[in-house]
Amino acid sequence: MDPNQENQGENSAGGSRQAIFTPQPPVVEGEVPTIPASAQASDGSSIHPYFSSHPTQTFNTEAGDIILNTSAPKPKQNKRPFIIGGVILAVFVLICVVVLLVVQAMSKPSKTDVVKSFNVFKNYIEYGPDNVGNDEGWYISQLTSYIYDTPDAEEESKKIKSLYSDFKSKLQQSSITLGNNLQNAIITEDTLLEYAILYIDLDNQIRSLVNNYIKADEQVNAESLATQIVPQRSDNNFYNDMREVLIKYIASELEIYAFYNDNFCLMDEDVDSECVALLDDDTSYTELSQRNKFLASAVEQNSLRLWSELKTNTTAVQKGLNE
């Protein structure tokens, strides 16, 4: 055999081995070797353990290189805790609303509470704290027996207003349905009591206006000032007539106090009776005094009807509430 042919055979064989066992570049420490696609079985049996536990994604760069993305996939967010939390919150809010409604319903004054409150008010204006009132003359009307000199009038008027306000508050908070007759009677009670309180505390109310009238930089109309403490006009003729008489009477009182002041008969808001006696011959004072007495008599006549109206209406309200 030709030696050259033998060498050629060996070279051929070597060439074949060299093609099969092509030298691979050295593996750098820390670098994950790339497994050729031809070496991977279709069933994944020959896939390296690293790649089997780290799914890969490939990205093509502009240069044509293939880059493997071996990062772990982001886990999907579980929304169940948020849904459960929302349901719990909604149930909690619903429970709170129900509890609040129940508490409000329980805290509303009952009809018994309303009736009791009005009975306390009526008993006080009828008999007073010491049971001095009677069917002939209720306690509230007796408070004006000395209408121009009642030291406790202001305190008593506050007490009466407080008792009535308590009744009205309970009535408004309750669920009582009022008939037209009872509702109108309560509206009438409001007005009658407003005038009654003014009558009780009239002297103190007038005194509160005296300083403003006397010390005003400019002359103030007395009747205009009087309207500040008298209830407004209404559709009732009796109330309007009483209102006009009260305004004229209060204005007359202011003018007399101003006359006392001008003649040095007023000392620290107190009238000097000896000084006033010296004014009897003064024509201006005589006219003021006579007009004042006439108006005071008209006020007294109106008060008698006021107490009668208040007594009748208060009894009607009590009866209507108890039905």
Side-chain angles (χ1 to χ4, degrees):
M1 180 179 296
D2 189 347
N4 293 331
Q5 292 179 352
E6 185 177 357
N7 291 335
Q8 290 176 356
E10 293 175 358
N11 291 337
S12 297
S16 299
R17 286 193 298 271
Q18 185 175 2
I20 294 173
F21 302 102
T22 304
Q24 303 294 322
V27 177
V28 180
E29 184 177 358
E31 180 178 306
V32 180
T34 302
I35 300 177
S38 59
Q40 299 178 5
S42 60
D43 60 357
S45 58
S46 62
I47 297 178
H48 192 279
Y50 177 85
F51 293 99
S52 64
S53 61
H54 296 77
T56 62
Q57 294 179 348
T58 59
F59 301 92
N60 293 328
T61 65
E62 294 181 358
D65 298 327
I66 297 177
I67 301 176
L68 297 178
N69 179 14
T70 58
S71 61
K74 295 181 179 180
K76 292 183 178 180
Q77 190 175 14
N78 188 356
K79 296 183 179 180
R80 289 187 63 188
F82 296 99
I83 296 175
I84 296 174
V87 172
I88 294 175
L89 179 61
V91 172
F92 176 75
V93 172
L94 181 61
I95 293 174
C96 290
V97 171
V98 172
V99 171
L100 180 61
L101 292 175
V102 171
V103 171
Q104 288 179 342
M106 294 178 62
S107 62
K108 283 186 176 182
S110 64
K111 182 177 180 179
T112 302
D113 296 329
V114 175
V115 172
K116 180 180 179 181
S117 179
F118 187 81
N119 288 341
V120 171
F121 159 74
K122 179 180 179 294
N123 186 74
Y124 193 88
I125 66 172
E126 185 174 358
Y127 298 106
D130 301 319
N131 293 323
V132 296
N134 51 59
D135 292 338
E136 296 299 326
W138 282 16
Y139 172 69
I140 191 171
S141 65
Q142 295 178 17
L143 287 172
T144 59
S145 297
Y146 304 95
I147 192 171
Y148 312 123
D149 187 21
T150 309
D152 297 328
E154 185 176 3
E155 292 302 318
E156 286 303 295
S157 63
K158 288 180 179 179
K159 176 67 174 179
I160 292 171
K161 285 192 293 186
S162 176
L163 293 175
Y164 190 70
S165 296
D166 181 71
F167 156 69
K168 289 297 293 290
S169 176
K170 284 183 170 59
L171 179 63
Q172 292 170 0
Q173 294 174 21
S174 70
S175 302
I176 298 177
T177 302
L178 301 178
N180 290 334
N181 291 338
L182 179 56
Q183 190 170 8
N184 291 334
I186 292 175
I187 294 175
T188 300
E189 190 79 5
D190 294 345
T191 305
L192 289 171
L193 189 63
E194 187 177 11
Y195 274 103
I197 294 298
L198 177 59
Y199 269 83
I200 293 170
D201 199 30
L202 187 57
D203 185 56
N204 290 329
Q205 293 285 351
I206 291 174
R207 287 180 178 274
S208 69
L209 298 178
V210 168
N211 285 335
N212 294 336
Y213 183 70
I214 293 175
K215 298 179 180 179
D217 295 334
E218 299 179 1
Q219 185 65 33
V220 179
N221 184 276
E223 290 192 9
S224 296
L225 198 61
T227 59
Q228 296 181 8
I229 62 173
V230 179
Q232 298 298 315
R233 293 187 62 83
S234 66
D235 297 330
N236 187 290
N237 291 332
F238 168 62
Y239 300 148
N240 290 331
D241 291 343
M242 184 165 52
R243 180 178 187 273
E244 294 304 318
V245 170
L246 278 169
I247 290 175
K248 292 183 181 299
Y249 170 74
I250 294 170
S252 175
E253 282 284 297
L254 295 179
E255 290 170 356
I256 286 181
Y257 271 102
F259 192 86
Y260 291 157
N261 184 67
D262 293 339
N263 289 273
F264 308 102
C265 295
L266 190 63
M267 302 296 177
D268 297 328
E269 299 183 1
D270 292 327
V271 179
D272 185 345
S273 58
E274 294 181 359
C275 177
V276 171
L278 299 175
L279 300 175
D280 289 341
D281 295 332
D282 190 300
T283 304
S284 298
Y285 176 70
T286 302
E287 292 178 356
L288 284 173
S289 180
Q290 290 178 349
R291 184 180 63 174
N292 186 263
K293 289 178 180 178
F294 172 78
L295 291 171
S297 177
V299 168
E300 181 66 21
Q301 291 299 316
N302 283 332
S303 71
L304 295 177
R305 181 178 174 183
L306 173 65
W307 306 130
S308 177
E309 295 268 352
L310 181 63
K311 177 181 177 180
T312 301
N313 193 78
T314 303
T315 304
V317 172
Q318 184 183 52
K319 182 179 178 180
L321 288 172
N322 284 310
E323 290 179 350

